[in-house]
Amino acid sequence: MHGGEVSQSSEIMLKKWLTKRKFNIDDYVQGFLYCTIVYGGLNDTETLKALYQWLLSDRKLYYTKVPTKNMGDGNDESSQYRIIIPLAIQSEVYGCRTPKDKQFLTRYVTYLPDDLSVCFLYALKDKDLSKRKIVNFETHIHQLSR
């Protein structure tokens, strides 16, 4: 329904990123969230909140080597590494029970970020977001929707 607006927003964001000379932490976080939604296809609000909380935490992630052209043994030059971000989302209606928390269920999501999201993650790699005053999740989403 709003596909044209989304494609225009993509152009606007790319122009903003290309012309901006200095980025602050909130710009990087907002860019990461934008790319995750538009290019990474992660559009579930609870999963996005979990990803935001992951960003503010110690950011544990994994990577795997994936063949890109053929399904060989992965030793050829066409293999690339993909980042895997494990997310745990508490729910009252769907998921698995954990020994620690009997009240809520936990739904596990494995997110493989797109290349642009990885660029923003790389820019944030040395930043400790837990000790900084950054904008909350709802404010970032509100700013992105404008």
Side-chain angles (χ1 to χ4, degrees):
M1 184 169 155
H2 299 284
E5 291 174 18
V6 171
S7 70
Q8 286 176 345
S9 79
S10 189
E11 275 184 47
I12 292 167
M13 290 301 276
L14 286 172
K15 280 183 183 177
K16 177 183 173 182
W17 295 332
L18 289 172
T19 57
K20 193 165 185 159
R21 295 199 185 275
K22 190 172 183 178
F23 288 82
N24 62 34
I25 299 294
D26 285 320
D27 292 333
Y28 289 131
V29 171
Q30 197 169 76
F32 174 70
L33 289 173
Y34 178 83
C35 290
T36 296
I37 295 166
V38 173
Y39 302 116
L42 196 64
N43 55 15
D44 174 50
T45 306
E46 294 303 316
T47 307
L48 282 170
K49 283 181 186 176
L51 184 65
Y52 182 78
Q53 289 303 317
W54 172 87
L55 197 60
L56 299 179
S57 71
D58 56 1
R59 290 181 251 171
K60 289 184 182 178
L61 54 86
Y62 303 94
Y63 66 94
T64 186
K65 193 172 184 180
V66 180
T68 55
K69 290 187 180 176
N70 56 16
M71 296 304 288
D73 60 2
N75 290 329
D76 60 350
E77 59 201 41
S78 67
S79 295
Q80 68 177 358
Y81 288 95
R82 293 295 309 210
I83 292 175
I84 300 170
I85 299 174
L87 302 171
I89 303 146
Q90 287 191 337
S91 172
E92 293 180 0
V93 293
Y94 179 76
C96 305
R97 293 219 185 271
T98 61
K100 292 187 283 183
D101 190 4
K102 304 246 187 239
Q103 181 181 0
F104 290 103
L105 300 170
T106 303
R107 177 171 54 111
Y108 297 98
V109 174
T110 303
Y111 175 56
L112 282 78
D114 61 282
D115 294 339
L116 281 174
S117 296
V118 171
C119 290
F120 282 103
L121 276 179
Y122 185 75
L124 289 166
K125 72 176 181 166
D126 296 330
K127 311 290 190 274
D128 184 6
L129 302 180
S130 64
K131 294 181 180 176
R132 295 184 183 250
K133 181 70 175 158
I134 63 168
V135 176
N136 66 24
F137 174 77
E138 288 77 16
T139 304
H140 277 301
I141 296 300
H142 178 68
Q143 289 174 348
L144 287 174
S145 353
R146 285 188 293 137

